[in-house]
Every structure is written in structure tokens, then in C-alpha cells.
Amino acid sequence: MTDSTLGDSLTASAEAPLSREDLLDRAQPYRRELLAHCYRMMGSVHDAEDLVQDTYLRAWRAAERFEGRSSLRTWLYRIATNACLTAIESRGRRPMPSGIGAPSDDPERPVVEAPEVPWLEPVPDAMFRGEQPSDPAAVVVSRSSMRLALVAALQHLPPRQRAVLLLREVLKWRAAEVAELLGTSTAGVNSALQRARAQLQQAALTEEELSEPTDPAQRELLDRYAKAFENSDVTAIVQLFKEDAVWEMPPFPEWFRGREAIARLIGAQCPIGPGEGLMLPTAANGQPAFALYSRHEGGDYKPFQLHVLTVEDGHVAHVGAFFGTELFRTFGLPDSVPADAARR
């Protein structure tokens, strides 16, 4: 849907149109939840930020044609969803390594980057803090709806199915509203929703299934995890994983299943030796996370990996270990940690 037709298709009342300045002022409270929506659609925080900016630009251009037939929030979501659908056509999906092939059977074989693949990116929880539980924004950026496994699974849905699932399941739009947005029938929306639900049944976690990072047992597990990686203690690391745990690390397409394979991988290929690592706690996708730094010549610590953990039954079930200094900046993490600061 283009800017030239957007207002005509969404407005029909006699209410006085908003000025561009008034519309943007009223639209600002929705920026955070629109960012969450675009992130779930795209799998990239950077793409999501660009598309939210584009949404506000389109809304600004169409302000005089917004006459209040739908709520401003609904109107903004319509613009954002169409912007995402257009972007997906040119940018494609963003998978995790486990979504494009079988696990590697040789942890000692050197891994090779695949920078040509637009990999899924984690998103910092800090971008979505501050909402009250009763606010609509708190619902649409709830921890369960941002889980890494769910966002990764969404990437395998056709774009319109992805939009249907998010609009119906997360935003709780009526089928008729989604049908109007996508230019299809209510029956078509319901059919797409059924297919999307079937494909995501295993990944769509609920709030009740998520343990809080403040839980004492999980806090102890996370402390042990950080210490084990700082000491490069492979034996201690392996004890923390489930038997069938998964380890994957974009931009490397290889991924590994099972604590034995993960132990062999870390032992053979991790360049951080005992006492050379530094783990800074953070949070991503509603999950516990750590920024792993490696000590370099001169003693300072430099970014190495960002670990996003899935914890189940008192063990680590999955680690997404993401590389890239740009990602550290997205999370507000330092580009370097002085040795003196690390010892304190």
C-alpha cells in the first residue's frame, strides 16, 4: 500500500484531520511497541529501527488524510506492517544456523563464516523497559513474544502468514481487521493463522513456561556459567548444559547439538584461555544473556561473543553466541574494558 492510497483506504469520517505536528506528538507513545512488532517481523533490530522511522515518516506525510475511522494506534500498525512486508520482499528472511541445515558432526573442524546470509539478530531488553503491566505496549513486548526461538521460527513463515500470526495472536486484532489490512478474506486470514500455528507449535512459549532470571536457582546457574567461561573451564561448562543442548553462533552456519559436541567445540576452537575471559551480564529477547570479552595484548578486554541463553529445568538448553562489535554497541556495551576495571 503506497502513501498515496494509505489515507484513502483507512479514513472515512468527518472528523477534522490532525496537523502533522499533532499526529506525531500523539504517535510517539507507540514507538516502542511498533519497534517490537517490526523486530518480530524482520528478525533484525537495525531493520526494525529503520522501519519504525519509515512508519512515522509515512504517517507524517499522510496526516491530513487520517480522519479517525480507526484508532491512531491501529493506523500506525497498518503502516508498519505494510512497510515490513515490502522490506521482506527485498531483504528475505533472517534464519539461525539451526534453521538452514543439520548439526555439524565434527566440532574440531574449523568453522567458516557465511557473511552473505542475513542472520537473525538478538534485541536488547533495555529497548522495551518502562511499560506498566497494564499498558497495551507491555502486552505486545512481553517476554514470551520476544523469545529468540519464537522470532527465529517466525522467519520460516511466509511474510503474510507471519503478519497474520502477529496481528491475531499478539496484537489481538479481529480477523476482519487483518483481512482488510492484507486485502484478503476473513476465511483466508483464519486459514493462514491455522497454518502458522501448526508450524510454530513447538516454538511459541508461554509466560508460564518462562523462569524469571531473579529466581535464586537460575541466578546461581548463570553465575556458574559466567565463571566457567571466564576460566575457560570446559568441564564446568559442560556440566551446565542439557544432554541435548544446542549451540549456534551466527555468522557461522555450523551448529552443534549435545553437550559432548559443545565441549569438543569449545575445547578445540575457543581462543580464550583460562583467566582470559570476562563476562558482563545483560538481557536479550526476554532471556538472560552475557557479553563475553577476551583479554588482548596490553591487558584490556575486547568484545568476542554475545551469549543469549535458554534455560530449562535447571540447565542451559540453548545458546545463541552472536559475533560482531556492532551488536555490542546496540546493547550499550563498552567497546573495551580496562584490565583494572575487570578486576574490581
Side-chain angles (χ1 to χ4, degrees):
M1 187 178 293
T2 65
D3 286 338
S4 62
T5 62
L6 182 62
D8 295 336
S9 66
L10 297 179
T11 62
S13 77
E15 183 178 315
L18 293 171
S19 70
R20 287 175 170 173
E21 291 73 18
D22 287 344
L23 184 140
L24 288 182
D25 285 344
R26 287 175 53 182
Q28 285 306 313
Y30 304 112
R31 182 176 289 273
R32 193 175 295 170
E33 58 178 290
L34 288 169
L35 179 63
H37 179 61
C38 292
Y39 170 73
R40 285 186 293 257
M41 284 288 294
M42 303 301 300
S44 162
V45 64
H46 298 100
D47 286 350
E49 289 177 322
D50 289 345
L51 286 164
V52 170
Q53 193 67 23
D54 185 46
T55 294
Y56 277 82
L57 178 59
R58 294 187 187 200
W60 181 79
R61 289 173 176 169
E64 293 181 357
R65 298 194 298 277
F66 176 70
E67 298 174 359
R69 180 181 136 189
S70 61
S71 72
L72 178 58
R73 180 171 179 261
T74 298
W75 188 62
L76 291 169
Y77 270 103
R78 292 182 183 218
I79 301 174
T81 300
N82 276 305
C84 288
L85 290 173
T86 299
I88 292 170
E89 289 180 5
S90 60
R91 304 179 196 183
R93 66 186 180 93
R94 286 182 170 270
M96 287 288 282
S98 58
I100 61 175
S104 173
D105 58 1
D106 187 359
E108 285 81 16
R109 183 176 62 222
V111 294
V112 179
E113 290 188 38
E116 71 280 2
V117 178
W119 297 105
L120 180 72
E121 298 173 351
V123 65
D125 283 9
M127 285 190 171
F128 307 110
R129 289 178 185 152
E131 296 90 350
Q132 297 298 319
S134 59
D135 290 344
V139 175
V140 299
V141 297
S142 63
R143 291 175 60 237
S144 62
S145 72
M146 303 297 288
R147 298 284 281 185
L148 195 65
L150 177 58
V151 178
L154 283 169
Q155 297 300 303
H156 293 277
L157 293 178
R160 288 166 70 87
Q161 275 190 32
R162 201 182 308 177
V164 166
L165 184 103
L166 292 173
L167 292 168
R168 293 282 285 120
E169 299 282 85
V170 177
L171 298 176
K172 306 302 181 184
W173 281 31
R174 296 189 302 271
E177 293 177 306
V178 179
E180 181 186 357
L181 167 61
L182 297 178
T184 186
S185 65
T186 299
V189 167
N190 291 333
S191 176
L193 181 59
Q194 285 183 337
R195 294 194 299 272
R197 281 173 173 168
Q199 190 164 338
L200 294 187
Q201 188 174 6
Q202 297 303 315
L205 304 178
T206 65
E207 289 287 354
E208 288 73 22
E209 293 172 302
L210 307 178
S211 57
E212 293 289 342
T214 53
D215 175 82
Q218 181 167 318
R219 186 71 265 165
E220 181 186 4
L221 173 68
L222 297 177
D223 289 344
R224 290 167 58 201
Y225 184 90
K227 183 177 180 181
F229 271 92
E230 289 180 340
N231 294 331
S232 191
D233 188 340
V234 176
T235 300
I237 291 171
V238 172
Q239 291 174 349
L240 303 173
F241 282 91
K242 293 185 69 174
E243 186 64 38
D244 60 349
V246 168
W247 177 282
E248 45 191 335
M249 45 187 184
F252 299 95
E254 296 89 354
W255 63 284
F256 305 86
R257 183 187 296 278
R259 60 167 61 149
E260 180 184 353
I262 295 171
R264 290 167 56 194
L265 171 75
I266 295 172
Q269 302 203 46
C270 182
I272 300 177
E276 296 178 352
L278 173 66
M279 293 282 265
L280 298 184
T282 183
N285 295 81
Q287 301 170 229
F290 287 98
L292 174 58
Y293 287 76
S294 174
R295 191 172 65 193
H296 283 228
E297 186 176 350
D300 289 353
Y301 292 82
K302 303 294 184 181
F304 182 66
Q305 290 176 331
L306 183 75
H307 292 197
V308 182
L309 280 63
T310 301
V311 178
E312 296 177 0
D313 302 323
H315 289 83
V316 178
H318 179 276
V319 174
F322 297 86
F323 286 85
T325 54
E326 184 179 352
L327 189 59
F328 276 63
R329 297 188 189 103
T330 298
F331 276 71
L333 295 161
D335 291 332
S336 177
V337 179
D340 290 345
R343 283 196 292 267
R344 286 199 292 268

